[in-house]
Amino acid sequence: MAGRRRKKFKLLAETIEDGTRASAGQPDEQETHFELPTEILELIISQLTFRDNICASAVCRRWHSVAISVRKVNKPPWLMFFPKVGDLYEFYDPSQRKTYWLELPKLRGSRLCYAKYGWLLLYKPRTQRMFFYCPYTREKIKLPRREFGYQIVAFSAAPTSPSCILFTVKHVSPTLVAISTCHPGANEWTTVNYQNRLPFVSSIWNKLVFCNGLFYCLSLTGWLGVYNPNECTWDVLSVHPPRCPESFFVKNWWKGKFIAEHNGDIFAIYTCSALIPVVYKLDQTNKVWTEMETLEGSTLFASFLSSQARMDLNGMMRNNVYFSKVRYYGKRCVSYSLDSGRYHPRNQCYDWGEQDPYESIWIEAPEDLSTFL
């Protein structure tokens, strides 16, 4: 694939030169070698994906220099840890393997619910108050009071966006679920009961993700429920659950399931203490989960409450699943490479039953490090 891409870019360069000679109407041997102006070349290459940028850099030395100058490498999310005591919060950067700290007294007594777009969604049981909080800017956005258990609550966009909607689903009976929604600025939550089609079983172990204008809910039993916030409809898709690995159903097996989305694609990750992770991608056309042997250059970051996906990270991080566990005194994040087929650090299997699922979460990396200790 890479060879074909390099050939394509070389042909592009030759076509540009040949076209210029033809338009000038002069013989090739009398033609001065033509080169695109650097500004135009930078503009063209800057629009390429990370993978195509790499291929363009192989055309010639000049293209290599330009490709390097405009190459965009995305940042991975950071892993945020909630302390059991005190107000000092730890942030781990998996790309640099560095740890930073922030003192956040306003989060005292709160419980994690979700994280996305650089915002935390938290709940204070004592006041029954749910709120958004950005740990980097200290900005806080309150939401209407409501009593919540331990169910996960997802949101569709940053709370500063008018399209932000919060969503959670709760079990009422085997054939009934209660869906609650809200948006920043609202005076109260809206709760509506919907008929539920078995074998979907809602529980506090639901995994939620927002994708293509819909909220997807991966249930305890692996069935996928879908809520359309615009039409206020709930449906259980006729998609059989991902195939569980043999001996998957061990103690705390429900803690080893994760769901993430990226550019319209939905991924599910299944793992437990003694098994390698299995990654599935939802084929939305054929209504089936497809096991992936490669992540095609992307990277998944799995945590109990919310998981994320990234493209165009630096080379060592691509095609890996990163888990919310740090070993060797904060020096290495536990990850699984689909290329090598093993954990890093070696023999570091991850037992989700060992860890409090509410103690850590992946959050977007900050733009400014000056506020960190």
Side-chain angles (χ1 to χ4, degrees):
M1 178 64 72
R4 289 199 297 270
R5 289 176 181 270
R6 284 195 292 270
K7 184 177 180 181
K8 179 175 68 175
F9 283 112
K10 288 181 179 179
L11 289 174
L12 173 61
E14 293 170 0
T15 301
I16 292 172
E17 295 176 9
D18 293 343
T20 304
R21 284 194 289 266
S23 63
Q26 296 179 0
D28 291 353
E29 60 270 18
Q30 297 179 3
E31 178 65 32
T32 302
H33 180 68
F34 171 79
E35 288 185 346
L36 277 174
T38 300
E39 295 80 4
I40 295 179
L41 190 58
E42 288 177 347
L43 179 62
I44 294 173
I45 296 182
S46 67
Q47 304 302 312
L48 301 179
T49 64
F50 181 81
R51 185 179 299 180
D52 286 342
N53 180 289
I54 296 292
C55 294
S57 68
V59 171
C60 63
R61 289 183 179 179
R62 182 165 175 265
W63 280 42
H64 180 270
S65 176
V66 172
I68 291 293
S69 69
V70 300
R71 183 172 297 166
K72 299 174 183 177
V73 179
N74 286 335
K75 293 181 180 180
W78 284 17
L79 188 58
M80 179 181 179
F81 290 92
F82 273 55
K84 288 182 169 45
V85 179
D87 302 321
L88 197 60
Y89 291 75
E90 181 181 334
F91 293 79
Y92 176 78
D93 177 1
S95 62
Q96 301 296 323
R97 298 179 184 174
K98 290 184 178 180
T99 301
Y100 303 84
W101 290 268
L102 280 179
E103 196 165 359
L104 303 171
K106 289 186 177 180
L107 301 189
R108 189 179 305 158
S110 60
R111 185 177 71 227
L112 269 171
C113 295
Y114 206 75
K116 198 74 185 288
Y117 313 108
W119 288 84
L120 299 169
L121 182 63
L122 304 114
Y123 177 68
K124 283 194 174 183
R126 184 176 61 84
T127 61
Q128 296 185 355
R129 173 76 75 180
M130 185 169 284
F131 62 96
F132 285 103
Y133 189 81
C134 178
Y136 309 134
T137 64
R138 310 299 202 277
E139 187 177 357
K140 182 178 180 179
I141 299 177
K142 293 183 179 180
L143 295 165
R145 296 180 188 273
R146 188 183 187 280
E147 183 178 359
F148 280 96
Y150 282 86
Q151 70 260 35
I152 298 175
V153 183
F155 53 94
S156 60
T160 52
S161 168
S163 62
C164 178
I165 300 173
L166 292 94
F167 164 84
T168 187
V169 56
K170 185 178 180 180
H171 173 83
V172 177
S173 72
T175 59
L176 204 65
V177 293
I179 291 179
S180 299
T181 58
C182 186
H183 62 84
N187 295 320
E188 61 182 4
W189 287 77
T190 300
T191 300
V192 178
N193 289 345
Y194 289 86
Q195 289 296 318
N196 187 47
R197 181 166 58 86
L198 292 175
F200 184 94
V201 179
S202 180
S203 71
I204 63 171
W205 309 109
N206 291 336
K207 304 297 181 181
L208 306 181
V209 72
F210 184 78
C211 181
N212 294 329
L214 304 172
F215 285 101
Y216 289 83
C217 177
L218 185 67
S219 75
L220 177 69
T221 52
W223 290 86
L224 205 57
V226 180
Y227 178 74
N228 187 324
N230 293 325
E231 300 178 1
C232 299
T233 57
W234 167 260
D235 188 27
V236 178
L237 299 184
S238 299
V239 179
H240 284 277
R243 182 179 58 84
C244 294
E246 293 182 7
S247 70
F248 178 76
F249 295 97
V250 295
K251 183 180 179 181
N252 295 318
W253 60 270
W254 55 85
K255 294 183 179 180
K257 291 167 44 176
F258 315 93
I259 188 171
E261 67 83 26
H262 184 72
N263 285 346
D265 290 323
I266 298 177
F267 304 92
I269 308 164
Y270 277 51
T271 185
C272 67
S273 60
L275 299 173
I276 64 173
V278 182
V279 181
Y280 299 93
K281 181 179 178 180
L282 179 62
D283 184 338
Q284 301 186 47
T285 301
N286 297 316
K287 305 295 184 183
V288 65
W289 289 101
T290 303
E291 185 174 341
M292 301 185 70
E293 296 181 356
T294 175
L295 296 180
E296 300 173 348
S298 61
T299 308
L300 300 178
F301 298 86
S303 61
F304 179 79
L305 296 171
S306 62
S307 301
Q308 300 192 26
R310 290 289 188 279
M311 286 289 292
D312 300 342
L313 298 182
N314 66 50
M316 294 297 293
M317 299 191 73
R318 293 198 294 271
N319 217 32
N320 278 266
V321 180
Y322 281 79
F323 295 96
S324 54
K325 185 72 173 180
V326 177
R327 299 288 194 188
Y328 297 130
Y329 305 100
K331 295 299 183 182
R332 289 293 299 273
C333 189
V334 174
S335 64
Y336 179 82
S337 169
L338 274 74
D339 289 331
S340 62
R342 70 175 181 88
Y343 278 93
H344 298 271
R346 190 180 292 273
N347 299 325
Q348 291 294 317
C349 295
Y350 193 8
D351 185 357
W352 281 93
E354 296 178 349
Q355 184 176 344
D356 179 0
Y358 297 92
E359 76 172 15
S360 62
I361 200 165
W362 293 102
I363 185 172
E364 276 70 10
E367 296 294 333
D368 181 15
L369 300 180
S370 62
T371 59
F372 286 86
L373 302 177

